Amino acid sequence: MSDTRPKHAAPTQFEVRDDCLQIGGMPLTRLARRVGRTPFYAYDRQRITERVAFLRQHLPPEIHLHYAMKANPMPAVVQHMAGLVEGLDVASAGEMQVALDTPMPPHLISFAGPGKTGEELACAIAAGIVLNMESEAEMERIADLGVRLGIRPKVAVRVNPDFELKSSSMKMGGGPKQFGVDAERVPAMLARLNTLALDFEGFHIFSGSQNLKAAALQESHEKTFQLAISLARHAPGPIHTLNIGGGFGVPYFPGDQALDVETVGKNLGQLLPGVRHHLPDTQIVLELGRYLVAEAGIYVCSVLERKESRGQVFLVTDGGLHHHLAASGNFGQVIRKNYPVTVGNRMQGSEREVVSVVGPLCTPLDLLADRMEMAGADAGDLIVVFQSGAYGLTASPTAFLSHPAPAEVLV
Ligand SMILES: *Cc1c(COP(=O)(O)O)cnc(C)c1O
Protein backbone atom coordinates (compact mmCIF):
# COMPACT_ATOMS: atom_id res chain seq x y z
CA MET A 1 0.00 0.00 0.00
CA SER A 2 1.33 3.43 -0.85
CA ASP A 3 1.77 6.02 1.87
CA THR A 4 -0.77 8.81 1.23
CA ARG A 5 0.14 10.93 4.25
CA PRO A 6 1.34 14.42 3.35
CA LYS A 7 5.11 14.65 2.91
CA HIS A 8 7.54 17.44 3.70
CA ALA A 9 8.22 19.73 0.76
CA ALA A 10 11.70 18.90 -0.58
CA PRO A 11 14.21 21.37 0.86
CA THR A 12 15.32 23.06 -2.34
CA GLN A 13 17.38 25.86 -0.82
CA PHE A 14 20.51 23.70 -0.56
CA GLU A 15 22.22 21.87 -3.39
CA VAL A 16 22.95 18.16 -3.25
CA ARG A 17 26.10 16.74 -4.91
CA ASP A 18 27.21 13.12 -4.87
CA ASP A 19 24.30 12.46 -2.53
CA CYS A 20 25.76 14.90 0.02
CA LEU A 21 24.11 18.14 1.14
CA GLN A 22 26.11 21.26 0.21
CA ILE A 23 26.14 24.30 2.44
CA GLY A 24 28.24 27.44 2.29
CA GLY A 25 29.82 26.19 -0.94
CA MET A 26 31.11 22.92 0.49
CA PRO A 27 29.91 19.39 1.25
CA LEU A 28 28.38 18.99 4.69
CA THR A 29 31.00 16.35 5.56
CA ARG A 30 33.76 18.89 4.93
CA LEU A 31 31.96 21.58 6.91
CA ALA A 32 31.71 19.14 9.83
CA ARG A 33 35.52 18.76 9.64
CA ARG A 34 35.90 22.52 9.50
CA VAL A 35 33.71 23.04 12.56
CA GLY A 36 35.68 20.24 14.27
CA ARG A 37 32.81 18.72 16.22
CA THR A 38 29.14 17.93 16.21
CA PRO A 39 26.47 18.97 16.96
CA PHE A 40 26.43 22.37 15.30
CA TYR A 41 24.13 24.90 13.74
CA ALA A 42 25.13 26.28 10.33
CA TYR A 43 23.53 29.34 8.76
CA ASP A 44 24.06 30.11 5.09
CA ARG A 45 24.63 33.83 4.49
CA GLN A 46 23.84 33.58 0.78
CA ARG A 47 20.42 32.09 1.56
CA ILE A 48 19.72 34.97 3.99
CA THR A 49 20.71 37.54 1.38
CA GLU A 50 18.50 35.85 -1.21
CA ARG A 51 15.55 35.71 1.16
CA VAL A 52 15.68 39.45 1.79
CA ALA A 53 16.01 40.09 -1.97
CA PHE A 54 13.03 37.82 -2.67
CA LEU A 55 10.89 39.74 -0.19
CA ARG A 56 11.88 43.09 -1.67
CA GLN A 57 10.96 41.83 -5.11
CA HIS A 58 7.37 41.29 -3.94
CA LEU A 59 6.82 44.02 -1.36
CA PRO A 60 6.10 47.67 -2.18
CA PRO A 61 9.50 49.42 -2.31
CA GLU A 62 8.56 52.06 0.27
CA ILE A 63 8.12 49.45 3.01
CA HIS A 64 11.10 49.09 5.32
CA LEU A 65 12.20 45.74 6.66
CA HIS A 66 13.38 45.24 10.22
CA TYR A 67 14.96 42.11 11.61
CA ALA A 68 13.51 40.83 14.90
CA MET A 69 16.71 39.53 16.46
CA LYS A 70 15.26 37.05 18.88
CA ALA A 71 14.70 34.63 15.98
CA ASN A 72 18.48 34.29 15.68
CA PRO A 73 20.71 36.60 17.71
CA MET A 74 24.06 35.07 16.68
CA PRO A 75 26.27 38.18 16.40
CA ALA A 76 27.64 37.19 12.96
CA VAL A 77 24.10 36.71 11.63
CA VAL A 78 22.98 40.06 13.03
CA GLN A 79 26.04 41.77 11.50
CA HIS A 80 25.19 40.28 8.14
CA MET A 81 21.54 41.22 8.47
CA ALA A 82 22.39 44.80 9.46
CA GLY A 83 23.70 45.31 5.93
CA LEU A 84 20.49 43.99 4.35
CA VAL A 85 17.58 45.53 6.28
CA GLU A 86 16.61 49.04 7.43
CA GLY A 87 16.37 48.34 11.15
CA LEU A 88 16.77 45.88 14.01
CA ASP A 89 14.28 44.99 16.73
CA VAL A 90 15.63 43.79 20.05
CA ALA A 91 13.94 42.30 23.09
CA SER A 92 16.61 42.44 25.81
CA ALA A 93 19.73 44.33 26.85
CA GLY A 94 21.82 41.43 25.55
CA GLU A 95 20.31 41.70 22.09
CA MET A 96 20.65 45.47 22.25
CA GLN A 97 24.42 45.19 22.84
CA VAL A 98 24.76 42.92 19.79
CA ALA A 99 22.64 45.33 17.70
CA LEU A 100 24.73 48.32 18.81
CA ASP A 101 27.90 46.56 17.66
CA THR A 102 26.56 46.63 14.09
CA PRO A 103 26.67 49.69 11.83
CA MET A 104 22.89 50.14 12.25
CA PRO A 105 22.13 53.71 13.45
CA PRO A 106 20.59 53.57 16.97
CA HIS A 107 17.41 55.40 15.98
CA LEU A 108 16.66 52.46 13.64
CA ILE A 109 16.91 49.97 16.49
CA SER A 110 13.78 49.41 18.59
CA PHE A 111 13.34 47.61 21.88
CA ALA A 112 10.06 45.82 22.63
CA GLY A 113 8.93 43.46 25.36
CA PRO A 114 7.18 43.60 28.72
CA GLY A 115 9.16 43.86 31.95
CA LYS A 116 12.09 45.95 30.81
CA THR A 117 14.30 46.66 33.81
CA GLY A 118 15.42 50.12 34.86
CA GLU A 119 18.94 49.19 33.78
CA GLU A 120 17.76 48.08 30.32
CA LEU A 121 15.71 51.25 29.88
CA ALA A 122 18.59 53.49 30.93
CA CYS A 123 20.99 51.76 28.50
CA ALA A 124 18.45 52.10 25.69
CA ILE A 125 17.83 55.79 26.41
CA ALA A 126 21.57 56.48 26.53
CA ALA A 127 22.04 54.57 23.27
CA GLY A 128 19.31 56.59 21.56
CA ILE A 129 17.26 53.63 20.43
CA VAL A 130 13.47 53.61 20.22
CA LEU A 131 11.59 52.11 23.17
CA ASN A 132 8.35 50.36 22.27
CA MET A 133 6.31 51.01 25.39
CA GLU A 134 4.26 48.10 26.64
CA SER A 135 2.26 49.93 29.34
CA GLU A 136 1.39 53.32 30.79
CA ALA A 137 3.55 52.50 33.85
CA GLU A 138 6.53 51.85 31.60
CA MET A 139 5.98 55.22 29.95
CA GLU A 140 6.19 56.96 33.34
CA ARG A 141 9.42 55.09 34.21
CA ILE A 142 10.96 56.00 30.86
CA ALA A 143 10.03 59.67 31.27
CA ASP A 144 11.53 59.76 34.80
CA LEU A 145 14.72 58.10 33.62
CA GLY A 146 14.99 60.51 30.70
CA VAL A 147 14.78 63.49 33.05
CA ARG A 148 17.43 61.97 35.33
CA LEU A 149 19.75 61.22 32.41
CA GLY A 150 19.13 64.56 30.71
CA ILE A 151 18.19 62.79 27.45
CA ARG A 152 14.80 62.85 25.72
CA PRO A 153 13.88 59.18 25.18
CA LYS A 154 12.52 58.12 21.79
CA VAL A 155 9.34 56.16 22.29
CA ALA A 156 6.68 54.33 20.35
CA VAL A 157 3.43 52.95 21.71
CA ARG A 158 2.95 49.23 21.30
CA VAL A 159 -0.75 48.75 20.78
CA ASN A 160 -2.62 45.61 21.78
CA PRO A 161 -5.07 45.63 18.89
CA ASP A 162 -8.79 44.95 19.21
CA PHE A 163 -8.50 42.10 16.71
CA GLU A 164 -6.54 38.86 16.39
CA LEU A 165 -4.33 37.56 13.61
CA LYS A 166 -6.27 34.56 12.34
CA SER A 167 -4.60 31.18 11.66
CA SER A 168 -1.53 32.22 13.58
CA SER A 169 0.12 29.60 15.73
CA MET A 170 1.16 32.21 18.28
CA LYS A 171 -1.26 35.07 18.87
CA MET A 172 0.33 38.13 20.40
CA GLY A 173 -2.47 40.65 20.16
CA GLY A 174 -6.22 40.86 20.67
CA GLY A 175 -8.06 40.10 23.91
CA PRO A 176 -6.24 40.49 27.24
CA LYS A 177 -2.47 40.36 26.67
CA GLN A 178 0.74 41.13 28.53
CA PHE A 179 1.96 42.82 25.34
CA GLY A 180 1.19 46.41 24.47
CA VAL A 181 -1.46 48.85 25.60
CA ASP A 182 -5.11 48.03 24.90
CA ALA A 183 -6.13 50.04 21.83
CA GLU A 184 -9.01 51.72 23.67
CA ARG A 185 -6.60 53.10 26.30
CA VAL A 186 -4.11 54.52 23.82
CA PRO A 187 -5.84 57.94 23.31
CA ALA A 188 -5.58 58.74 27.05
CA MET A 189 -1.98 57.50 27.09
CA LEU A 190 -1.10 59.76 24.18
CA ALA A 191 -2.63 62.76 25.98
CA ARG A 192 -0.39 62.02 28.97
CA LEU A 193 2.63 61.39 26.72
CA ASN A 194 2.17 64.89 25.34
CA THR A 195 2.91 66.34 28.81
CA LEU A 196 6.15 64.33 29.27
CA ALA A 197 9.68 64.91 27.96
CA LEU A 198 9.45 62.14 25.39
CA ASP A 199 10.00 62.09 21.62
CA PHE A 200 7.05 60.30 20.07
CA GLU A 201 8.06 58.08 17.13
CA GLY A 202 4.87 56.21 16.34
CA PHE A 203 3.04 52.95 16.79
CA HIS A 204 3.98 49.30 16.97
CA ILE A 205 1.15 46.87 16.26
CA PHE A 206 2.25 43.23 16.28
CA SER A 207 -0.52 40.68 16.29
CA GLY A 208 1.02 37.25 15.79
CA SER A 209 3.64 34.89 14.49
CA GLN A 210 4.15 31.94 12.10
CA ASN A 211 1.30 32.60 9.67
CA LEU A 212 1.18 30.79 6.34
CA LYS A 213 -2.11 32.27 5.11
CA ALA A 214 -1.89 35.31 2.86
CA ALA A 215 -5.58 36.07 3.42
CA ALA A 216 -5.15 36.18 7.21
CA LEU A 217 -2.16 38.53 6.93
CA GLN A 218 -4.09 40.64 4.44
CA GLU A 219 -6.99 41.04 6.85
CA SER A 220 -4.62 41.85 9.70
CA HIS A 221 -2.82 44.50 7.59
CA GLU A 222 -6.12 46.17 6.73
CA LYS A 223 -7.21 46.27 10.35
CA THR A 224 -3.78 47.41 11.51
CA PHE A 225 -3.83 50.38 9.12
CA GLN A 226 -7.40 51.29 10.17
CA LEU A 227 -6.42 51.17 13.83
CA ALA A 228 -3.26 53.24 13.27
CA ILE A 229 -5.17 55.88 11.32
CA SER A 230 -7.82 56.20 14.02
CA LEU A 231 -5.22 56.39 16.82
CA ALA A 232 -3.13 58.91 14.89
CA ARG A 233 -5.85 61.51 15.48
CA HIS A 234 -4.89 61.44 19.18
CA ALA A 235 -1.12 61.56 18.64
CA PRO A 236 0.93 64.46 19.98
CA GLY A 237 2.74 64.80 16.64
CA PRO A 238 3.24 63.12 13.29
CA ILE A 239 3.54 59.34 13.20
CA HIS A 240 7.12 58.91 11.98
CA THR A 241 7.01 55.14 12.08
CA LEU A 242 4.24 52.59 11.90
CA ASN A 243 5.53 49.12 12.66
CA ILE A 244 2.85 46.71 11.43
CA GLY A 245 4.56 43.63 12.86
CA GLY A 246 5.35 40.59 10.78
CA GLY A 247 4.03 37.15 11.36
CA PHE A 248 5.25 35.73 8.03
CA GLY A 249 5.53 31.99 8.56
CA VAL A 250 7.69 29.26 7.08
CA PRO A 251 6.62 25.71 6.24
CA TYR A 252 7.87 23.20 8.80
CA PHE A 253 5.56 20.23 8.68
CA PRO A 254 4.21 17.75 6.11
CA GLY A 255 1.48 19.44 4.10
CA ASP A 256 2.52 23.03 5.00
CA GLN A 257 2.43 25.37 2.00
CA ALA A 258 4.91 28.24 1.78
CA LEU A 259 3.42 31.70 2.36
CA ASP A 260 2.32 33.42 -0.85
CA VAL A 261 4.40 36.58 -0.40
CA GLU A 262 3.46 37.86 -3.83
CA THR A 263 -0.19 38.11 -2.78
CA VAL A 264 0.71 39.69 0.57
CA GLY A 265 2.86 42.25 -1.27
CA LYS A 266 0.19 43.05 -3.86
CA ASN A 267 -2.37 43.63 -1.16
CA LEU A 268 -0.02 45.94 0.75
CA GLY A 269 0.54 47.83 -2.50
CA GLN A 270 -3.21 48.34 -2.83
CA LEU A 271 -3.60 49.50 0.76
CA LEU A 272 -0.69 51.95 0.83
CA PRO A 273 -2.20 54.84 -1.18
CA GLY A 274 -5.10 55.02 1.32
CA VAL A 275 -2.67 54.92 4.23
CA ARG A 276 -0.53 57.66 2.62
CA HIS A 277 -3.59 59.86 2.39
CA HIS A 278 -4.08 59.79 6.18
CA LEU A 279 -0.44 59.31 7.25
CA PRO A 280 1.66 61.16 4.66
CA ASP A 281 4.82 61.33 6.82
CA THR A 282 4.81 57.78 8.09
CA GLN A 283 7.41 55.12 7.37
CA ILE A 284 5.75 51.71 7.28
CA VAL A 285 7.89 48.94 8.79
CA LEU A 286 7.53 45.17 8.65
CA GLU A 287 9.45 43.37 11.38
CA LEU A 288 10.33 39.80 10.58
CA GLY A 289 12.36 37.23 12.43
CA ARG A 290 11.67 33.67 11.44
CA TYR A 291 10.88 34.38 7.80
CA LEU A 292 14.31 35.90 7.16
CA VAL A 293 16.46 33.20 8.76
CA ALA A 294 14.62 29.94 9.44
CA GLU A 295 15.19 28.31 6.07
CA ALA A 296 18.82 29.41 5.87
CA GLY A 297 19.82 27.31 8.86
CA ILE A 298 20.38 23.64 9.60
CA TYR A 299 21.15 21.72 12.77
CA VAL A 300 23.64 18.88 12.38
CA CYS A 301 24.34 16.02 14.77
CA SER A 302 26.15 12.69 14.47
CA VAL A 303 24.71 9.21 14.80
CA LEU A 304 26.41 7.52 17.76
CA GLU A 305 24.57 4.23 17.55
CA ARG A 306 21.96 2.44 15.51
CA LYS A 307 19.69 0.56 17.86
CA GLU A 308 16.70 -1.71 17.31
CA SER A 309 13.91 -2.18 19.80
CA ARG A 310 10.98 -4.47 19.08
CA GLY A 311 11.15 -3.87 15.37
CA GLN A 312 11.70 -0.09 15.51
CA VAL A 313 15.02 1.46 14.51
CA PHE A 314 16.44 4.29 16.64
CA LEU A 315 19.33 6.44 15.54
CA VAL A 316 20.87 7.64 18.80
CA THR A 317 22.69 10.93 18.18
CA ASP A 318 24.82 13.43 20.07
CA GLY A 319 22.17 16.13 19.48
CA GLY A 320 18.68 16.58 20.83
CA LEU A 321 16.05 18.74 22.43
CA HIS A 322 18.57 20.51 24.67
CA HIS A 323 19.91 22.12 21.47
CA HIS A 324 16.77 22.20 19.36
CA LEU A 325 13.63 22.26 21.45
CA ALA A 326 11.41 23.27 18.52
CA ALA A 327 12.37 20.25 16.41
CA SER A 328 11.52 17.98 19.33
CA GLY A 329 7.98 19.39 19.23
CA ASN A 330 8.11 21.05 22.62
CA PHE A 331 8.26 24.75 21.67
CA GLY A 332 4.61 25.75 21.53
CA GLN A 333 3.40 22.96 19.25
CA VAL A 334 0.06 21.43 20.21
CA ILE A 335 0.57 18.15 18.35
CA ARG A 336 4.07 16.83 17.75
CA LYS A 337 5.00 16.77 14.06
CA ASN A 338 8.33 16.03 12.46
CA TYR A 339 10.54 18.80 11.16
CA PRO A 340 12.18 17.90 7.83
CA VAL A 341 15.05 15.62 8.89
CA THR A 342 17.47 13.76 6.65
CA VAL A 343 20.83 11.99 6.56
CA GLY A 344 22.95 14.86 5.22
CA ASN A 345 25.85 12.79 3.87
CA ARG A 346 23.51 10.20 2.33
CA MET A 347 20.53 12.15 1.06
CA GLN A 348 19.01 9.34 -1.02
CA GLY A 349 21.18 6.42 0.06
CA SER A 350 21.04 2.95 -1.42
CA GLU A 351 18.14 1.77 0.72
CA ARG A 352 15.46 3.70 2.62
CA GLU A 353 14.42 2.94 6.15
CA VAL A 354 11.85 4.20 8.66
CA VAL A 355 13.71 5.38 11.76
CA SER A 356 13.34 7.51 14.85
CA VAL A 357 16.12 9.98 15.60
CA VAL A 358 16.70 10.52 19.31
CA GLY A 359 19.20 12.36 21.50
CA PRO A 360 21.19 11.49 24.62
CA LEU A 361 18.73 12.89 27.16
CA CYS A 362 16.93 10.64 29.64
CA THR A 363 13.44 11.61 28.53
CA PRO A 364 11.17 10.27 25.78
CA LEU A 365 10.62 13.91 24.74
CA ASP A 366 14.15 13.89 23.29
CA LEU A 367 12.97 13.00 19.80
CA LEU A 368 14.17 14.77 16.63
CA ALA A 369 12.32 12.52 14.19
CA ASP A 370 9.49 10.11 14.94
CA ARG A 371 9.36 7.18 12.52
CA MET A 372 10.47 9.06 9.41
CA GLU A 373 11.67 7.55 6.18
CA MET A 374 15.27 8.38 5.35
CA ALA A 375 18.41 6.76 3.94
CA GLY A 376 19.71 3.83 5.96
CA ALA A 377 22.25 5.28 8.42
CA ASP A 378 24.73 4.11 11.01
CA ALA A 379 27.27 5.47 13.49
CA GLY A 380 29.22 8.40 12.07
CA ASP A 381 26.53 9.56 9.66
CA LEU A 382 25.34 13.15 9.89
CA ILE A 383 21.68 13.88 10.69
CA VAL A 384 20.41 17.23 9.41
CA VAL A 385 17.35 19.09 10.68
CA PHE A 386 16.22 21.70 8.13
CA GLN A 387 14.29 24.94 8.85
CA SER A 388 16.52 25.45 11.88
CA GLY A 389 17.80 29.01 11.42
CA ALA A 390 15.19 30.55 13.75
CA TYR A 391 14.24 29.77 17.36
CA GLY A 392 16.84 27.02 17.47
CA LEU A 393 19.77 27.28 19.85
CA THR A 394 18.64 30.29 21.89
CA ALA A 395 15.13 28.87 22.25
CA SER A 396 16.44 25.62 23.75
CA PRO A 397 17.21 24.48 27.31
CA THR A 398 20.94 23.98 26.76
CA ALA A 399 21.64 23.40 30.46
CA PHE A 400 19.23 20.45 30.66
CA LEU A 401 21.33 17.35 31.50
CA SER A 402 24.60 19.31 31.32
CA HIS A 403 25.73 18.20 27.89
CA PRO A 404 28.00 20.59 25.96
CA ALA A 405 26.39 23.37 23.91
CA PRO A 406 26.50 23.03 20.12
CA ALA A 407 28.80 25.10 17.91
CA GLU A 408 27.32 27.79 15.65
CA VAL A 409 28.73 28.95 12.32
CA LEU A 410 27.72 31.40 9.63
CA VAL A 411 29.01 30.09 6.30
C1 LIG B 1 9.02 37.62 18.18
C2 LIG B 1 8.68 38.90 17.63
C3 LIG B 1 8.84 39.13 16.25
C4 LIG B 1 9.33 38.09 15.30
O1 LIG B 1 8.39 37.12 15.04
P1 LIG B 1 8.71 36.06 13.90
O2 LIG B 1 7.59 35.10 13.95
O3 LIG B 1 10.02 35.44 14.20
O4 LIG B 1 8.76 36.80 12.62
C5 LIG B 1 8.53 40.37 15.78
N1 LIG B 1 8.09 41.35 16.58
C6 LIG B 1 7.92 41.17 17.91
C7 LIG B 1 7.43 42.27 18.75
C8 LIG B 1 8.20 39.94 18.48
O5 LIG B 1 8.00 39.76 19.78
Side-chain angles (χ1 to χ4, degrees):
M1 233 167 62
S2 69
D3 189 349
T4 54
R5 286 175 303 176
K7 290 239 173 2
H8 286 100
T12 51
Q13 68 270 48
F14 301 106
E15 218 185 307
V16 175
R17 258 187 243 160
D18 301 328
D19 213 23
C20 183
L21 190 77
Q22 311 286 305
I23 178 164
M26 68 176 78
L28 179 68
T29 43
R30 179 162 172 179
L31 179 63
R33 290 267 174 242
R34 192 202 105 173
V35 176
R37 65 191 166 97
T38 55
F40 61 88
Y41 277 93
Y43 315 116
D44 186 315
R45 77 176 77 227
Q46 188 58 33
R47 296 291 93 80
I48 295 174
T49 304
E50 286 167 5
R51 177 47 71 101
V52 174
F54 172 78
L55 260 181
R56 293 206 192 277
Q57 193 189 321
H58 293 298
L59 293 176
E62 62 264 46
I63 287 190
H64 279 186
L65 292 177
H66 282 201
Y67 176 51
M69 270 179 63
K70 78 172 186 291
N72 187 330
M74 184 198 186
V77 168
V78 179
Q79 282 287 344
H80 181 61
M81 201 65 91
L84 301 174
V85 297
E86 282 82 22
L88 298 172
D89 294 321
V90 306
S92 70
E95 288 186 6
M96 178 170 61
Q97 297 306 338
V98 173
L100 289 170
D101 281 341
T102 72
M104 189 61 75
H107 71 278
L108 298 173
I109 301 173
S110 60
F111 187 169
K116 300 181 197 77
T117 66
E119 221 169 85
E120 287 175 321
L121 291 173
C123 289
I125 295 166
I129 74 174
V130 178
L131 284 161
N132 291 344
M133 302 184 295
E134 306 272 349
S135 69
E136 293 95 337
E138 191 175 77
M139 174 171 73
E140 299 295 336
R141 289 164 65 214
I142 292 168
D144 285 350
L145 275 167
V147 169
R148 256 192 278 158
L149 293 166
I151 305 166
R152 275 181 82 90
K154 291 189 205 321
V155 295
V157 177
R158 177 161 180 190
V159 182
N160 175 20
D162 40 13
F163 57 87
E164 289 191 341
L165 175 52
K166 289 185 188 144
S167 0
S168 204
S169 72
M170 219 178 277
K171 293 191 193 345
M172 295 181 65
K177 286 281 178 306
Q178 72 265 51
F179 309 110
V181 179
D182 297 344
E184 59 276 18
R185 282 161 58 169
V186 171
M189 182 178 180
L190 291 170
R192 170 70 181 148
L193 192 156
N194 201 21
T195 68
L196 300 170
L198 296 171
D199 284 341
F200 177 65
E201 278 295 315
F203 296 120
H204 177 212
I205 308 178
F206 176 77
S207 41
S209 186
Q210 178 52 14
N211 204 304
L212 291 171
K213 299 260 184 304
L217 286 168
Q218 198 160 321
E219 187 187 321
S220 140
H221 290 154
E222 280 171 35
K223 291 182 174 170
T224 298
F225 287 135
Q226 277 168 19
L227 179 58
I229 289 165
S230 74
L231 292 176
R233 288 197 281 274
H234 304 275
I239 313 299
H240 300 298
T241 309
L242 171 59
N243 182 331
I244 62 170
F248 291 24
V250 301
Y252 288 104
F253 306 120
D256 279 357
Q257 298 282 329
L259 175 66
D260 178 0
V261 173
E262 196 179 333
T263 298
V264 174
K266 273 197 190 126
N267 174 64
L268 279 169
Q270 281 164 7
L271 292 172
L272 281 186
V275 177
R276 279 278 149 267
H277 176 73
H278 295 280
L279 304 172
D281 308 312
T282 303
Q283 177 61 58
I284 310 288
V285 170
L286 264 176
E287 61 175 353
L288 301 170
R290 182 194 312 273
Y291 190 81
L292 300 183
V293 289
E295 296 183 71
I298 58 174
Y299 173 65
V300 183
C301 54
S302 297
V303 178
L304 298 173
E305 186 185 319
R306 185 178 182 285
K307 171 177 174 173
E308 285 191 40
S309 168
R310 304 204 165 113
Q312 194 177 331
V313 177
F314 292 88
L315 299 176
V316 183
T317 70
D318 56 2
L321 84 71
H322 54 315
H323 297 162
H324 202 333
L325 187 66
S328 78
N330 294 291
F331 188 59
Q333 294 97 325
V334 182
I335 302 166
R336 191 197 177 285
K337 294 180 193 161
N338 286 323
Y339 266 47
V341 177
T342 185
V343 185
N345 58 309
R346 211 187 291 285
M347 292 291 284
Q348 270 310 310
S350 44
E351 86 279 18
R352 310 287 293 176
E353 191 170 45
V354 173
V355 300
S356 291
V357 178
V358 301
L361 307 189
C362 303
T363 160
L365 299 177
D366 192 10
L367 185 61
L368 292 176
D370 182 20
R371 288 160 294 168
M372 274 181 85
E373 189 201 294
M374 54 189 86
D378 211 333
D381 283 324
L382 297 171
I383 299 294
V384 169
V385 182
F386 291 103
Q387 314 297 67
S388 297
Y391 305 107
L393 177 56
T394 59
S396 299
T398 45
F400 188 39
L401 268 91
S402 306
H403 287 286
E408 245 186 333
V409 289
L410 176 67
V411 294

